[in-house]
Amino acid sequence: MTDAPSMLIGHGIPENRSLLCAWHERQLSNDLQWLERNLPDLTEYRINRAYGHKNGGGGNAGTAPAPVRETLHDLLYADDDHGYPGLQGTLYEWVRSLKLNLRESAPLADMVYRIANHPKLDEHPSTPVYAEPVHGLVRKLRRFLTDDDGETVLYGPCPANGCLGQLSGYADAETAKCPQFGFSMPVALIRAERVKRLLQSEAVRTRGELLDIIKACGMRVNRSTLRSWIHRGQLPQQGEDSYSNPLYRFSDFYRLTTGLSENADVWEIMQAAQNQSKEGDNQ
């Protein structure tokens, strides 16, 4: 033995400054990696296994039908019924807290990449705040990429309290059902409630984003029509983004596209959808 000072004195194990436990660190890492891998399929709506999966196509080869695209749009871009933001809003709030130089309309994959590669992510006080809602959104989004029997369509989240399941049914079903809680709901009512949320949304977007989102909802508006609505004052500007691009309220744009009023109730919306369906059948 010796009384000589140890070479290790003053060179102890570095302090762990992470604000997450080891389990939640792994969970966050897994969630961000999953998003990086799967966001291209989710944002391009190439996620319905019934369209390509059974006939030897790639796992993500099929293009999702309108009900799935609309549900995915809500999870990715819209606020939920309680006012909590979807993935885009949550990631952007996290990006701002981390002081990363990204605009709100940046691709979701870019936001995820910048967050995941932040040098002190686990130590930042915003991480415990946003890691939990991101995990909840990832859990819901994962359900869109699970294999099914080739015929099932996901119509939206189950409204039962505390349930993370999805209402599902055949593509032409009149009623969707949650396999977890057994909750059933008419498909027409699901779609009408989604439309009502869009009619009352306060979200603002650029011209290009408006056209992309309305296309994802299964509708199409020409750029010339959009310019005409703006020129006539039917679609008033609602400020500018950080790049001085004009912004417009999506709900105003959606009302002009569908002909529905801001205060339309679900029954009016269902009737309008039924009339549109009849017109399509008669053409």
Side-chain angles (χ1 to χ4, degrees):
M1 296 183 63
T2 174
D3 293 332
S6 169
M7 295 178 63
L8 295 178
I9 295 178
H11 299 277
I13 300 173
E15 180 182 358
N16 180 8
R17 299 180 181 274
S18 175
L19 299 178
L20 302 175
C21 67
W23 190 89
H24 281 99
E25 283 182 8
R26 289 194 300 273
Q27 176 178 277
L28 176 58
S29 177
N30 290 339
D31 287 342
L32 294 175
Q33 289 177 26
W34 186 89
L35 286 171
E36 285 191 273
R37 288 194 308 271
N38 294 289
L39 272 173
D41 287 328
L42 292 167
T43 54
E44 295 299 325
Y45 307 101
R46 299 192 303 265
I47 41 72
N48 193 313
R49 305 292 191 173
Y51 295 78
H53 179 69
K54 291 187 70 176
N55 297 322
N60 299 318
T63 300
V68 182
R69 294 198 305 267
E70 292 166 359
T71 303
L72 255 183
H73 169 269
D74 287 354
L75 281 175
L76 293 173
Y77 303 110
D79 294 348
D80 66 15
D81 293 338
H82 302 287
Y84 295 109
L87 186 65
Q88 182 190 47
T90 303
L91 291 178
Y92 183 63
E93 289 178 7
W94 199 353
V95 160
R96 292 184 62 190
S97 298
L98 294 171
K99 300 190 184 318
L100 299 175
N101 187 22
L102 283 173
R103 56 181 179 174
E104 185 177 6
S105 59
L108 297 180
D110 290 358
M111 292 190 193
V112 171
Y113 178 82
R114 293 290 299 278
I115 290 171
N117 288 276
H118 190 281
K120 295 186 180 295
L121 182 63
D122 293 343
E123 301 176 14
H124 199 278
S126 67
T127 295
V129 175
Y130 294 106
E132 181 178 355
V134 165
H135 179 63
L137 288 165
V138 166
R139 287 182 63 186
K140 294 177 181 179
L141 289 169
R142 280 180 184 270
R143 299 178 187 275
F144 286 90
L145 295 176
T146 56
D147 291 335
D148 56 32
D149 58 7
E151 298 177 336
T152 302
V153 171
L154 300 176
Y155 286 97
C158 176
N161 188 31
C163 182
L164 294 176
Q166 293 284 331
L167 295 170
S168 61
Y170 293 117
D172 58 351
E174 294 185 359
T175 301
K177 184 175 182 179
C178 174
Q180 294 188 26
F181 273 43
F183 185 93
S184 296
M185 192 171 182
V187 171
L189 182 57
I190 297 172
R191 293 174 177 170
E193 289 187 341
R194 184 180 299 121
V195 169
K196 186 171 178 61
R197 290 197 297 272
L198 292 175
L199 290 171
Q200 297 175 346
S201 172
E202 293 295 324
V204 292
R205 295 290 184 267
T206 63
R207 297 185 190 186
E209 291 166 347
L210 291 176
L211 294 173
D212 288 342
I213 295 173
I214 207 69
K215 182 180 178 182
C217 291
M219 294 174 278
R220 189 178 295 275
V221 175
N222 295 326
R223 291 184 180 274
S224 58
T225 302
L226 175 56
R227 287 195 297 268
S228 175
W229 287 341
I230 294 172
H231 179 72
R232 295 175 182 176
Q234 294 172 281
L235 185 62
Q237 184 175 333
Q238 303 292 333
E240 298 178 340
D241 65 10
S242 56
Y243 291 84
S244 299
N245 295 312
L247 295 172
Y248 305 90
R249 188 177 288 114
F250 178 73
S251 56
D252 292 340
F253 179 60
Y254 193 85
R255 288 196 291 273
L256 289 168
T257 303
T258 60
L260 293 166
S261 68
E262 179 180 5
N263 298 319
D265 60 33
V266 292
W267 309 115
E268 291 179 67
I269 295 168
M270 290 169 67
Q271 185 62 53
Q274 187 176 11
N275 292 340
Q276 290 174 2
S277 179
K278 290 180 180 177
E279 291 173 3
D281 292 339
N282 292 331
Q283 289 179 356

